[in-house]
Amino acid sequence: MKDDGFVIVGVRETPPPPAPRREPWYRGKPLFAGGVLGVIVLGCLLCGLFIPGDPSYMDLANASAAPGRAFLFGTDTMGRDIFSMIWYGGRVSLLIGVAGAAISTAVAVVLGAVSGCAPAWLDALLMRLTELFLSVPNLLLVVFLQAILGEASVLSISLVIGLTSWTSMAKVVRTEVRQLRSSEYVVAARSMGGGFFHILWRHLIPNFLSSIMFMVVMNVRSAIAAESTLSFMGIGLPLEVVTWGSMLSLSEKALLSGAWWIILVPGIFLVTTLLCLTSLGSYLRKAANRKERNL
Amino acid sequence: MDNEILLDVQHLTHFFPITKKIAVKAVDDLSFQLRRGEIFGLVGESGSGKSTVARCVMNLYRPQAGRILYKGIDTCDRRAFRKNRRMLQTTRQLIFQDSASSLNQRMRVCDIIAEPMRIQHITPPRGTHRAEAAFQMHYVGLDPSFLDRYPPELSGGQRQRVAIARALAMEPELLVADEPIASLDVSIQAQIVNLFKHLQQEHGFSFLFIAHDLAMVEFLCDRVGVMYHGRLLEVAPTEELFQHPLHPYTKSLLSAIPIPDPVRERARKLIPYEEEPGAPRGTLREVSPDHFVAE
């Protein structure tokens, strides 16, 4: 008899389960919007490389020329080449969008965090002030502020847009900070002597950033839209500063003369950019909601 | 251990208001002293006010009445606190119960351990913050390979060691630990308590150890105070307290310790404790040397 007195018993060996198919990294991500936005942003940043001339050069002989070989997107009523204006104007429009969003985010984070950390009376005061701000029509505020600041420039218009669009983000920041401020690592940092800005920068912002990220992107979008609105109405940047908005402000004359390209080309670029930003923003919001919080 | 009193808590009282009329008396006229280099254990059931005492000692709560003298400085007095802020914030350190929430999960371990030094702008004695963090980790028995990990990647015991390293990085003279082992499993509890004992012998800090595990307290502490409903009922050297408990509540508490011997464990009888409703609020009286009982 063979020596089989000692047999290993135990868990029955099972074949390893087939490896689950790896999800491709791009699944569920806004690839198309990101790609289009990337092309537009890169084109605006690098436009000096592929556009030789001065975008504001007025070729009066070719005013209101239709799109063709010489002028890809045509020229406007003052004879400026729309193709080069689109890229150079995009620089300014995107700059205003980013700067306006940055200013509004900074104001919202600081005010929201102060309100979240403050004692009840100061919190109530700040939040009522925020609601007061929120209830005044945005456009009215912008016009007032712009009137105070005087002649519009890229900087002043970003400042005005930034200073009028922080309210809803400040409310979100305040709610998040209320939750975070009693967590023990904040208490620990406080008992070690950490100041308000240390705690805000090291502990609070990293923890609530994901939940305001989509609002930041949406603020870029609304800042670009606000600049176009203002310029279109003629209370924004002056005509000689080329932006998508100031290009659109020529449209009333263009409509009368039947030059559709003057209004359509900047319009398409503007709407495409806004759509891409919206798509990115809603992706970020979904991603932030999906994540497990308060763990 | 010398007899210099490091921390002197006098008639400490702290309420938590529920409504305008009703308040919970978390700590009620509590006095005890902590000598330099001593491990003082504070035990009591849940809700007896142990953590409130710890938070009052660390200036996280402002007590309604009473004084807390640390090195002769009244830490509840705003002016005295402000004058000695830096000394108070560096020489007293706190360890929390739940290391998962007392460490910011978005900070790396090396940043967590170096945080108090960054806050107080102390040049680390071992050159860089990173080297100092590695040294402190070695000191509490952690491998330096954890330096770049995030807290959720560590186990509970490892996280609590990180929290201890953060507290010890400041070379504290008073360490307050608020149930530091309650959220760990038994074998890790033993490791951490041994670590505390070892570290205390090396550093010689005074240690306010709050727990509800009597076996751990008996092993670690030099003196023990028994709390019940916000009051101290009995304070005595550990051996004396466990051999000759005088207060009925202490007797009841000690009778609840499980015995690791099935025969004796089955014979163990719980002594119930009922507070007589009309009983006068006792003051501590010295019965035998260093043994105080409320009467």
Side-chain angles (χ1 to χ4, degrees), chain A residues 183-185 187-195 198 202-203 206-207 210 291 295, chain B residues 55 60 89 93 96 98 101-107 111 115-116 118-120 166:
Chain A
S183 55
E184 283 180 340
Y185 54 83
V187 175
R190 231 169 354 125
S191 78
M192 286 184 267
H198 170 86
R202 299 301 294 265
H203 295 291
N207 281 297
S210 63
K291 231 181 291 161
L295 265 176
Chain B
R55 284 172 175 242
L60 295 173
Q89 280 167 349
Q93 293 292 326
F96 289 92
D98 184 9
S101 61
S102 70
L103 307 176
N104 188 347
Q105 20 173 330
R106 285 170 199 273
M107 277 167 82
D111 291 328
E115 194 190 357
R118 290 225 169 88
I119 290 176
Q120 300 289 352
R166 173 173 70 178

Side-chain angles (χ1 to χ4, degrees), chain A residues 17-36:
Chain A
R21 277 180 55 201
R22 288 270 306 280
E23 284 267 303
W25 62 270
Y26 51 82
R27 176 65 50 83
K29 292 191 168 62
L31 266 200
F32 184 71
V36 171

Side-chain angles (χ1 to χ4, degrees), chain B residues 43-51 179 211-212 227-230 249 253:
Chain B
V43 293
E45 60 193 57
S46 315
S48 57
K50 311 182 294 285
S51 298
E179 307 211 18
H212 52 234
M227 273 187 82
Y228 181 70
H229 283 192
Y249 179 69
L253 205 60

